[in-house]
Amino acid sequence: MDLNSISAVLGVTNSLSGKTWSWRGGTGELNGDPRELDRTILEQLLLSRGVSPHDLARHSSPTLREFLPDPSQFQDMDQAAERIAQAIVANEKITIYGDYDVDGATSAALLVQLLRDLGTDAAYYIPDRLLEGYGPSGEALVKLAEEGSTLIVTVDCGAMAHEALTMARDVGVDVIVVDHHKCSADLPPTTALVNPNRLDENDLAASHGHLAAVGVAFLLAIALVRLLRAQGYFADREEPNLMGLLDLVALGTVADVAALHGLNRAFVSQGLKVLARRERIGMAALMDASRLNRKPQASDLGFALGPRINAGGRIGESTLGVRLLTTEDRDEAREIAEKLSYLNDERRKIEGEVQEQAEAQLANQHNMAVHVVASNGWHPGVIGIVAGRLKEKTGKPSIVVALDEADDTGKGSGRSISGVDLGAAIIAAREQGLLIAGGGHAMAAGLTVASGNLSAFTEFLNERLVSDIEKARASLSMQLDLSLSPGGLTPELVTTLDAAGPFGVGWPAPRVAVGPVRIVKADIVGKDHLRIIAAGKDGKSFKAIAFRAADTEMAQTLLHRSNGRQFYFAGRVKTDDWGSRPAAELHLEDAAFAD
């Protein structure tokens, strides 16, 4: 007998999507009443996500007290805090220079709110995606200095902005960079550069390289308040409520697809509690515009709130996100939130058109390790989303480039797969002279390329990453946490599994195997979603749905039911609240023949 089939979950070594099913950890078998096994299941989920047995208590309910490092451990953190404190006391003009995505908007809003609470009405500047592009513009920094800013703090950008920061230095303005993107060995000139991904960071700080920029900004907030406290600044004023900023940290962390383990998991867990209180006027308006009336979950940050903030920077006004998150006017908040929702709908339409054209180019790239597609007329504001869609569809790193005939350049955005560091490859391409600009982190990167260098850049990427991609794809499997019969799919099980959250990149939501089952009904709903009613030998039935899967081989097989054969299903269990009482449904990701 094949040893692989023995170790595989339910013996599945070749599912309908061509994957082996493997246990994420433990035996994965669920027997008995889930309500009586909460502790056992929770511990198994934590252990299978890399938590050591002696550390279960800390991870079962992640708090800042347990995970927060001393900010002073990070390079330049104390220098940054000292310079900002000096500016506050001297009443200097401070400008926060953000990025136009969610991480940039929340980072900027966090520092603006903090400085406001400290008695300083800081200004902010968010560049226009189309006119200025990513990162600090030297011209913009110089203009801010001319308008009176003596201190500029860049957030979620700046780590690779050598030319722009040199221009700022030359006109005498101090710049602090708060970032998390990959750095080169040669750092730009700054008053302080706080980034856990600096190549010269110590081991403790470097272990926090998964932080989003908003997480780094929160650490700076702690360092700043601690310094001001030591200086007696709060002798006659109230200290700011740093915990109240965690809703911003949670939103930026999830929306930037930062790995949700360690400190990030504590940030999101505690930030969701702050978000649920709806104390921030702009955040409450955003939830109302998203029709989010229940207790928010981590997935809501990535799929409901985050895209709306992003829509402003992608196809609208880049400042809308920061304005919304810092306003104290309810009418203004409602107006901005509604506008962002409208822009998000428009973004979806534009995205669909670009995606259709981008997918058409994939037909000639079957042998490519990295997919690079490009065209004139594509909106730069949606190329990152489309790159993510292509990556999910093909299982390969994908880069989408919007070409501009006016200056023969292209703006590109890329998304990678686990185990393949796309950001490092982009930086290497820039250092080879193949890119005008570029940077990012392991899973996502941005670039500017001369149209004439696009082919050479594509060839460089494929040669550099082909080995890593082959290894990553060879190790792909459908990782499962539990195996159960249909009767085990209950709302109580959903509650039990959710206790191991919040979930996201690096801390995946639990996935279960169910079966064997026979298909009672299968059809397509909406545009391309597969809906199934399945029943098991225990007499229990349940609903399963596979989103955006209508044209997949798996969906076609299940639609035709293969002459009554039985199947195993794999996916994530969710609560369906539409009926008279809650029921559990399966969000189907894969299936395999059971006979």
Side-chain angles (χ1 to χ4, degrees):
M1 180 178 291
D2 186 352
L3 292 178
N4 288 331
S5 65
I6 296 176
S7 61
V9 176
L10 301 173
V12 176
T13 57
N14 187 24
S15 70
L16 295 185
S17 65
K19 295 178 181 177
T20 295
W21 290 5
S22 60
W23 292 124
R24 201 184 308 275
T27 64
E29 296 185 7
L30 172 63
N31 298 294
D33 186 343
R35 290 170 294 185
E36 299 175 358
L37 297 174
D38 284 1
R39 181 175 177 82
T40 302
I41 295 173
L42 177 59
E43 289 183 349
Q44 178 176 310
L45 294 174
L46 296 177
L47 291 169
S48 65
R49 282 153 182 76
V51 177
S52 59
H54 71 273
D55 210 15
L56 287 172
R58 186 168 72 120
H59 286 268
S60 63
S61 182
T63 64
L64 293 191
R65 181 183 296 275
E66 294 293 338
F67 287 94
L68 198 66
D70 181 351
S72 293
Q73 294 283 343
F74 292 76
Q75 294 272 16
D76 284 3
M77 182 69 80
D78 289 341
Q79 293 94 313
E82 289 169 3
R83 180 63 186 91
I84 297 174
Q86 176 188 349
I88 292 172
V89 173
N91 199 29
E92 297 181 48
K93 182 176 182 180
I94 305 173
T95 296
I96 309 301
Y97 192 115
D99 187 27
Y100 37 68
D101 69 0
V102 184
D103 193 16
T106 52
S107 299
L110 185 150
L111 291 184
V112 168
Q113 179 68 58
L114 174 67
L115 292 171
R116 183 184 295 168
D117 292 344
L118 291 170
T120 298
D121 191 15
Y124 60 83
Y125 183 92
I126 309 296
D128 184 279
R129 178 190 290 266
L130 298 181
L131 299 179
E132 298 175 83
Y134 169 77
S137 154
E139 291 77 9
L141 295 177
V142 171
K143 183 178 180 181
L144 291 173
E146 291 173 347
E147 293 173 348
S149 293
T150 54
L151 175 61
I152 300 172
V153 183
T154 74
V155 288
D156 196 30
C157 58
M160 296 288 290
H162 294 76
E163 181 178 347
L165 294 176
T166 298
M167 291 176 64
R169 179 198 61 189
D170 290 346
V171 297
V173 64
D174 289 341
V175 179
I176 294 171
V177 171
V178 180
D179 204 353
H180 69 132
H181 292 98
K182 295 283 185 179
C183 293
S184 61
D186 179 27
L187 298 176
T190 62
T191 299
L193 195 158
V194 184
N195 185 337
N197 287 305
R198 284 177 55 155
L199 297 181
D200 59 347
E201 266 297 5
N202 60 74
D203 291 342
L204 184 146
S207 69
H208 290 86
H210 62 297
L211 294 181
V214 70
V216 182
F218 185 78
L219 294 179
L220 175 58
I222 295 173
L224 175 59
V225 170
R226 182 173 61 184
L227 176 61
L228 289 171
R229 184 188 306 124
Q231 294 177 349
Y233 187 77
F234 302 112
D236 57 355
R237 68 172 66 230
E238 185 177 352
E239 287 194 17
N241 175 23
L242 294 181
M243 295 296 286
L245 299 172
L246 289 176
D247 58 339
L248 296 171
V249 181
L251 176 56
T253 297
V254 173
D256 209 52
V257 203
L260 290 193
H261 56 76
L263 179 56
N264 274 348
R265 191 160 164 260
F267 277 152
V268 175
S269 179
Q270 301 305 313
L272 286 171
K273 297 176 183 177
V274 177
L275 192 65
R277 296 199 293 265
R278 300 172 67 94
E279 294 172 346
R280 189 176 305 280
I281 292 172
M283 203 75 85
L286 190 64
M287 288 191 283
D288 288 341
S290 305
R291 296 181 176 84
L292 186 58
N293 300 316
R294 53 170 170 73
K295 182 179 179 182
Q297 303 171 356
S299 58
D300 297 320
L301 306 181
F303 294 105
L305 306 185
R308 284 171 167 79
I309 296 289
N310 257 334
R314 291 186 185 281
I315 64 171
E317 301 172 37
S318 60
T319 61
L320 287 176
V322 181
R323 284 174 55 198
L324 175 68
L325 297 174
T326 57
T327 185
E328 297 178 355
D329 184 314
R330 295 186 185 280
D331 290 336
E332 181 186 28
R334 183 173 60 253
E335 180 181 338
I336 296 175
E338 290 174 353
K339 185 170 185 178
L340 287 172
S341 285
Y342 168 78
L343 289 172
N344 193 47
D345 290 339
E346 291 299 303
R347 184 269 305 168
R348 287 195 184 101
K349 296 177 184 177
I350 297 170
E351 173 196 330
E353 294 171 357
V354 174
Q355 183 174 344
E356 182 178 354
Q357 296 171 27
E359 288 184 0
Q361 295 187 25
L362 296 180
N364 299 320
Q365 297 192 12
H366 292 304
N367 297 323
M368 304 293 284
V370 182
H371 290 302
V372 180
V373 296
S375 180
N376 294 301
W378 286 352
H379 197 299
V382 302
I383 56 177
I385 302 174
V386 175
R389 300 282 191 211
L390 297 185
K391 183 259 294 189
E392 293 298 326
K393 186 180 183 70
T394 65
K396 297 178 180 180
S398 299
I399 296 175
V400 179
V401 181
L403 298 176
D404 187 345
E405 291 180 301
D407 60 4
D408 287 327
T409 65
K411 300 288 186 182
S413 186
R415 299 293 182 267
S416 192
I417 61 176
S418 180
V420 179
D421 192 335
L422 184 60
I426 294 297
I427 291 175
R430 175 181 174 178
E431 292 173 345
Q432 290 287 323
L434 296 173
L435 298 176
I436 299 170
H441 44 82
M443 300 299 288
L447 59 96
T448 303
V449 59
S451 299
N453 281 341
L454 190 58
S455 295
F457 165 65
T458 302
E459 183 178 347
F460 172 86
L461 272 191
N462 276 272
E463 290 180 357
R464 179 182 173 91
L465 296 177
V466 61
S467 178
D468 291 343
I469 292 169
E470 288 176 352
K471 292 177 183 177
R473 286 170 59 84
S475 64
L476 285 178
S477 66
M478 178 65 68
Q479 293 191 313
L480 295 150
D481 296 278
L482 301 171
S483 174
L484 60 158
S485 63
L489 290 175
T490 65
E492 291 81 9
L493 176 64
V494 177
T495 300
T496 298
L497 298 179
D498 285 348
F503 303 110
V505 173
W507 194 269
R511 186 182 287 123
V512 305
V514 187
V517 300
R518 59 182 177 83
I519 297 175
V520 177
K521 179 181 179 182
D523 58 2
I524 300 297
V525 296
K527 182 180 179 181
D528 55 0
H529 309 314
L530 171 66
R531 180 179 60 186
I532 291 175
I533 303 298
K537 293 180 179 179
D538 59 359
K540 303 294 184 179
S541 62
F542 63 95
K543 182 175 75 174
I545 186 164
F547 294 102
R548 295 188 298 273
D551 62 347
T552 64
E553 182 177 339
M554 177 190 76
Q556 293 304 310
T557 300
L558 297 178
L559 278 169
H560 294 91
R561 306 182 205 175
S562 295
N563 297 320
R565 294 182 67 176
Q566 296 189 93
F567 296 90
Y568 293 121
F569 286 175
R572 295 187 165 94
V573 190
K574 302 293 182 179
T575 300
D576 180 5
D577 294 317
W578 285 103
S580 58
R581 60 178 181 175
E585 66 178 21
L586 186 70
H587 288 190
L588 184 66
E589 298 177 78
D590 201 1
F593 289 113
D595 52 17

